[in-house]
Amino acid sequence: MLPAAQAQDVNFANAAAQVRTHTLINKLTAENVLVGADFALDTIGHAIKTTSNARVIHEQMAGMAHRLNGVRAILVLSKDGILQHDSYRFPVREIDLSDRPYFKASQKTSSLILGDISLGRTSGVPFLPLAKRVGEHTLVAIVSPHFLISQQTQCEDCVSAIIRPNGKVIASFPPATEIPLDILSLPVINRASEGIDRADFLHSDTAIAWKQSEAYPIIVMSARGLTGSARVGIYD
């Protein structure tokens, strides 16, 4: 048998390797969804400049949304925030969305805006709004948050999350896990743009890995409790 200290080192090394792999896979998974939505919004925004046929625009939007991983619908808002096109519904119902924070934020930049998780007014289903101003229009991709995490590669006692720089959680796995609001205050995550460390997280002695995206304002993290202390989130 290995001495206790050496066994703990091996335990941490194994858990650390696993959470690092989860973190890298989840980063690629999230960026794949964001890149696809980003490209789609640009494409539709420029297409609107070439035609005023609402049916043609709707069909192009519907086809684009159907092909994109994680995207439930695509919306087009006027410069005043009025819904003009909807990939899910034709003819569109004109709804005033000018009060939405993602619309307001999109008026200040041409970059992709990652809004906060919201609940659909009629569906009650949570979604992540991705908004982008193209010309006079603001285009919005309605994204299912759980598509940002590769659930096929998760271990049963691991926790993963996609977090905004302000600490708000965009997505987590398992879905019911409550990531602490002060997660970014952990010294291990604040110290660098990526890394692996050992931390007290969700009441456990935990191996934790994190990595900031170079392309989008997100931080990806995964954690796994070490053997003998593991009660990571889902067991609490």
Side-chain angles (χ1 to χ4, degrees):
M1 295 179 62
L2 292 174
Q6 188 176 351
Q8 275 293 321
D9 289 342
V10 172
N11 182 14
F12 173 74
N14 290 337
Q18 191 167 35
V19 294
R20 180 178 185 274
T21 298
H22 291 331
T23 298
L24 294 176
I25 291 174
N26 289 334
K27 176 177 177 289
L28 292 174
T29 300
E31 288 180 341
N32 181 57
V33 173
L34 298 178
V35 167
D38 201 351
F39 174 77
L41 298 184
D42 273 334
T43 300
I44 294 170
H46 291 298
I48 290 174
K49 297 177 182 179
T50 64
T51 181
S52 58
N53 189 312
R55 169 64 78 174
V56 171
I57 294 172
H58 167 75
E59 290 180 352
Q60 181 172 2
M61 290 170 56
M64 189 77 75
H66 180 72
R67 292 191 297 271
L68 288 172
N69 189 36
V71 176
R72 301 206 310 252
I74 297 175
L75 312 177
V76 176
L77 313 184
S78 71
K79 63 180 180 180
D80 299 316
I82 305 301
L83 181 61
Q84 290 189 321
H85 303 283
D86 181 347
S87 68
Y88 186 74
R89 184 188 300 272
F90 184 87
V92 69
R93 292 189 302 174
E94 292 189 359
I95 303 173
D96 187 352
L97 297 174
S98 61
D99 62 332
R100 292 293 191 257
Y102 59 79
F103 172 75
K104 295 177 180 180
S106 71
Q107 303 309 294
K108 302 175 183 178
T109 179
S110 58
S111 299
L112 186 71
I113 298 295
L114 278 67
D116 291 330
I117 297 296
S118 306
L119 290 178
R121 279 181 172 176
T122 57
S123 67
V125 177
F127 69 90
L128 172 69
L130 305 179
K132 190 169 192 177
R133 180 172 53 82
V134 182
E136 293 188 346
H137 296 90
T138 293
L139 292 91
V140 186
I142 304 300
V143 173
S144 299
H146 64 272
F147 277 90
L148 299 176
I149 294 178
S150 175
Q151 299 179 25
Q152 289 77 19
T153 62
Q154 297 297 308
C155 65
E156 292 183 358
D157 55 348
C158 292
V159 167
S160 294
I162 310 294
I163 306 166
R164 294 180 58 172
N166 63 6
K168 289 188 176 181
V169 177
I170 295 175
S172 63
F173 184 89
T177 303
E178 294 187 7
I179 306 297
L181 296 177
D182 61 349
I183 177 63
L184 295 185
S185 68
L186 282 176
V188 292
I189 294 183
N190 265 330
R191 196 159 57 218
S193 61
E194 65 177 300
I196 302 171
D197 213 326
R198 190 168 180 166
D200 183 11
F201 176 63
L202 292 179
H203 316 298
S204 295
D205 184 14
T206 304
I208 185 169
W210 71 98
K211 187 172 179 60
Q212 296 182 13
S213 169
E214 299 84 3
Y216 297 101
I218 58 173
I219 300 168
V220 184
M221 61 138 294
S222 291
R224 184 180 188 185
L226 303 181
T227 303
S229 67
R231 294 192 299 112
V232 178
I234 54 177
Y235 298 118
D236 293 341

